Amino acid sequence: MKSNYLFTSESVSEGHPDKVCDRISDAVVDAYLDADSLSRVAVETLTTTNRIVIAGEVRGPEEIGSDTIENVARRAVKSIGYEQDGFHWEKAHVSVYVHKQSVDIAQGVDAGASKDEGAGDQGIMFGYACKETDSLMPAPIFYSHRILEELAKARHSGDVKGLGPDSKSQVTLEYEDGEPVRAKSIVVSTQHSEELSQENVKDIVGPFVTNSLPKGWMCEDSEFYVNPTGRFVIGGPDGDAGLTGRKIIVDTYGGAAPHGGGAFSGKDPSKVDRSAAYAARYLAKNVVGAGLANKCTIQLAYAIGVSKPLSVYVDLHGTGLEHESKISEGLQKCMDLSPRGIREHLGLSKPIYERTAAYGHFGREPSSDGGFSWEQLDLVEPLKQTI
C-alpha cells in the first residue's frame, strides 16, 4: 500500500446548480413524509435560467399537489439565497410533472401477508469510515465541505458581503505514512458581486480556509487558488443547468471509497439507494468506532422486491482485529438489513432530508429530531459483545 502520496477531493455549495436541484428534490421528499411517513417519493429536478422543472412519481397524500410542490421549491431556493436576475426564487417559472407510482413497482416492493417489504430497486451500496478525522471521514472531503459550509454561514449571517450562493472547493492533502499531514494545494471558486476583484475575493476567503483546517495545515500561498478564471459573477442555474443526483461523490467520500452509483436526493427511505447507503456508513462507522479496524468499507447488495440483502461484504484494508467474515456475521446479528429493518432502526421515515442536500450526507452531527441518525455510534457496544 502507498504510504506517501497526494489525494484530492472536492465539494460544492448549496448554491451550486446541481445542489439546488438536490435541495428542491429533498424538500419535496420531506413534504410528503411530513404528511405521511409511509409516502413513496422519487422526484428529480432540473434548473436553468429562471426555470425549475420537477418530475417523478409519488404515492402519498392527495392534498400535496402541484401548487404545494411549487411552493416547496420556491421556499428552498429562497432559503439558499437566490434573488438574482437570472435565477430568483419568486420570479422563476416552475413546472411540476409528478404522477402516481407505478403499480408494477408497488406490487413488488410492498409488504404482504406472505412477504416483508422488498427493496425499491436492485443495486449496490457502499459505506466507509476511517480514523483520519474525528467524524471518521476521509480528511480531504471533510475539509472541502467545512470550507464551503463556513463561507455559507458567514454569507447567511451577513458577516461577509459580496459573495453569492454558488461556490466550489477542492482540497489536496499530503499523506505521510498513510496519514494526512498538511494541505498541498487548495482551490476555492465562489460567485461574487461585480464590485469585488479577484484579490478582494481571495482576501475574504483566505481566513475561512485557514480556520477550517487543522493548525499549521494551510498550503503555501502560491498553491492557494481563488477564482482561477479571475471572475465568477454569473453563477448558479443561470450560469449552468443543474440536475438532481449529479454530485454523488461529493455526497459521499470524495473518491476515497467506492460508490455504488445510485444518488440519494429525491428518494424516500424505502429506496435502498438511499437507506442502504446510510446503513452501510452506519455499520462501517461503528466498526471503526468500536476499535475493530482503522478503516472499513462495507458493500450491501439488493434485488428489487427482495427484503434481505444478497450480500454483506466487509473490507478492513488490513487494519482489522478480526477476520472480515466474522465482522460481516456480527453486523448482520446486530442490525436487520432489510429495507424495513434499516428504516426502523435508523428512524428514517421522517422529514429529515432537505438538510442533507449540501455539505455531505456523512460526517455530520446527529440531531435531536432524528437527522443524520446514521452517524450515531450506538452500535459500538453491541458489536463488541457480538464479535
Side-chain angles (χ1 to χ4, degrees):
M1 295 176 64
K2 290 183 179 180
S3 58
N4 299 325
Y5 55 91
L6 302 178
F7 194 83
T8 304
S9 294
E10 70 157 347
S11 179
V12 297
S13 73
E14 61 193 17
H16 184 281
D18 296 329
K19 281 292 149 200
V20 173
C21 295
D22 286 345
R23 174 77 171 264
I24 292 170
S25 295
D26 275 338
V28 173
V29 171
D30 280 356
Y32 273 96
L33 292 177
D34 190 42
D36 180 354
S37 63
L38 297 181
S39 293
R40 298 289 171 82
V41 186
V43 294
E44 315 293 339
T45 303
L46 176 149
T47 57
T48 185
T49 302
N50 268 335
R51 183 169 292 271
I52 300 168
V53 180
I54 304 166
E57 59 178 31
V58 299
R59 182 173 47 166
E62 295 288 342
E63 61 265 27
I64 300 181
S66 295
D67 289 345
T68 301
I69 293 173
E70 177 180 339
N71 290 334
V72 165
R74 292 191 187 280
R75 178 191 55 75
V77 173
K78 182 180 182 181
S79 180
I80 293 168
Y82 273 113
E83 294 186 344
Q84 302 169 2
D85 290 340
F87 196 70
H88 195 292
W89 68 270
E90 190 174 28
K91 299 175 183 177
H93 179 78
V94 180
S95 301
V96 179
Y97 304 98
V98 174
H99 59 84
K100 291 185 177 181
Q101 182 187 52
S102 162
V103 293
D104 291 344
I105 293 176
Q107 72 176 1
V109 173
D110 289 350
S114 60
K115 77 178 192 72
D116 194 7
E117 176 184 316
D121 201 353
Q122 71 176 46
I124 55 175
M125 299 83 205
F126 286 92
Y128 180 73
C130 63
K131 288 190 173 181
E132 291 182 12
T133 60
D134 290 343
S135 64
L136 304 186
M137 284 288 288
I141 188 67
F142 178 82
Y143 294 116
S144 294
H145 286 323
R146 176 178 282 183
I147 290 167
L148 296 187
E149 193 167 14
E150 292 304 312
L151 279 170
K153 288 177 183 177
R155 176 175 62 85
H156 283 298
S157 69
D159 289 344
V160 298
K161 306 292 185 182
L163 298 187
D166 191 0
S167 59
K168 303 177 76 172
S169 65
Q170 184 170 284
V171 173
T172 300
L173 296 185
E174 287 189 49
Y175 283 72
E176 294 180 357
D177 296 325
E179 298 294 330
V181 294
R182 67 185 67 87
K184 175 63 176 176
S185 64
I186 295 174
V187 184
V188 177
S189 296
T190 181
Q191 188 181 13
H192 60 88
S193 64
E194 291 271 8
E195 294 74 25
L196 293 180
S197 67
Q198 184 182 26
E199 196 59 38
N200 293 151
V201 176
K202 187 172 183 178
D203 289 341
I204 293 171
V205 169
F208 289 94
V209 174
T210 301
N211 293 334
S212 295
L213 298 170
K215 188 175 181 180
W217 276 36
M218 184 60 182
C219 63
E220 298 292 331
D221 189 66
S222 61
E223 295 287 342
F224 179 36
Y225 305 95
V226 176
N227 287 4
T229 63
R231 174 185 166 90
F232 187 4
V233 173
I234 300 173
D238 186 31
D240 187 14
L243 288 170
T244 299
R246 284 205 300 198
K247 289 293 179 284
I248 58 176
I249 301 303
V250 170
D251 284 344
T252 53
Y253 307 103
H259 193 297
F264 304 155
S265 291
K267 298 173 182 176
D268 73 82
S270 75
K271 277 70 171 175
V272 286
D273 272 346
R274 176 166 228 157
S275 57
Y278 290 173
R281 160 63 178 175
Y282 173 68
L283 296 178
K285 184 174 183 179
N286 277 271
V287 167
V288 175
L292 297 170
N294 291 333
K295 290 183 181 181
C296 179
T297 298
I298 291 176
Q299 183 204 62
L300 304 176
Y302 292 85
I304 188 169
V306 179
S307 61
K308 67 177 182 178
L310 305 183
S311 65
V312 180
Y313 166 84
V314 178
D315 183 359
L316 303 179
H317 305 275
T319 69
L321 299 182
E322 300 285 351
H323 194 274
E324 277 91 346
S325 61
K326 189 173 182 180
I327 299 290
S328 177
E329 291 172 6
L331 291 172
Q332 293 176 76
K333 291 177 181 176
C334 289
M335 184 176 180
D336 176 358
L337 292 173
S338 69
R340 182 201 299 273
I342 292 171
R343 195 178 68 242
E344 292 179 352
H345 187 107
L346 296 177
L348 298 181
S349 299
K350 301 174 183 177
I352 55 175
Y353 298 106
E354 185 176 355
R355 71 193 74 172
T356 68
Y359 314 117
H361 291 246
F362 308 128
R364 310 283 289 274
E365 286 294 322
S367 52
S368 58
D369 66 351
F372 301 104
S373 59
W374 49 94
E375 291 297 312
Q376 296 179 100
L377 288 170
D378 57 352
L379 209 64
V380 164
E381 290 307 318
L383 269 176
K384 287 180 178 179
Q385 294 171 14
T386 303
I387 297 171

mmCIF file of all heavy atoms in Angstrom, residues 108 132 134 228 335:
data_model
loop_
_atom_site.group_PDB
_atom_site.id
_atom_site.type_symbol
_atom_site.label_atom_id
_atom_site.label_comp_id
_atom_site.label_asym_id
_atom_site.label_seq_id
_atom_site.Cartn_x
_atom_site.Cartn_y
_atom_site.Cartn_z
ATOM 1 N N GLY A 108 -44.269 -5.202 -6.194
ATOM 2 C CA GLY A 108 -43.046 -5.915 -5.883
ATOM 3 C C GLY A 108 -42.379 -5.444 -4.614
ATOM 4 O O GLY A 108 -41.636 -6.189 -3.981
ATOM 5 N N GLU A 132 -9.148 9.242 9.978
ATOM 6 C CA GLU A 132 -8.443 10.461 9.568
ATOM 7 C C GLU A 132 -8.983 11.718 10.242
ATOM 8 O O GLU A 132 -8.275 12.718 10.370
ATOM 9 C CB GLU A 132 -8.500 10.610 8.052
ATOM 10 C CG GLU A 132 -7.676 9.569 7.307
ATOM 11 C CD GLU A 132 -7.706 9.771 5.797
ATOM 12 O OE1 GLU A 132 -8.177 10.842 5.347
ATOM 13 O OE2 GLU A 132 -7.262 8.868 5.079
ATOM 14 N N ASP A 134 -12.100 13.244 13.351
ATOM 15 C CA ASP A 134 -12.935 12.854 14.491
ATOM 16 C C ASP A 134 -14.291 12.306 14.044
ATOM 17 O O ASP A 134 -14.897 11.492 14.744
ATOM 18 C CB ASP A 134 -13.153 14.053 15.421
ATOM 19 C CG ASP A 134 -11.883 14.446 16.164
ATOM 20 O OD1 ASP A 134 -10.949 13.617 16.219
ATOM 21 O OD2 ASP A 134 -11.827 15.589 16.669
ATOM 22 N N PRO A 228 -9.753 30.954 -10.088
ATOM 23 C CA PRO A 228 -8.628 30.930 -11.024
ATOM 24 C C PRO A 228 -8.921 31.563 -12.384
ATOM 25 O O PRO A 228 -8.002 32.047 -13.050
ATOM 26 C CB PRO A 228 -8.325 29.437 -11.177
ATOM 27 C CG PRO A 228 -8.852 28.806 -9.936
ATOM 28 C CD PRO A 228 -10.057 29.605 -9.570
ATOM 29 N N MET A 335 -28.029 -5.861 13.335
ATOM 30 C CA MET A 335 -28.961 -4.990 12.626
ATOM 31 C C MET A 335 -29.678 -5.754 11.526
ATOM 32 O O MET A 335 -29.066 -6.487 10.753
ATOM 33 C CB MET A 335 -28.214 -3.791 12.021
ATOM 34 C CG MET A 335 -29.111 -2.772 11.346
ATOM 35 S SD MET A 335 -28.162 -1.349 10.775
ATOM 36 C CE MET A 335 -29.479 -0.354 10.040
#
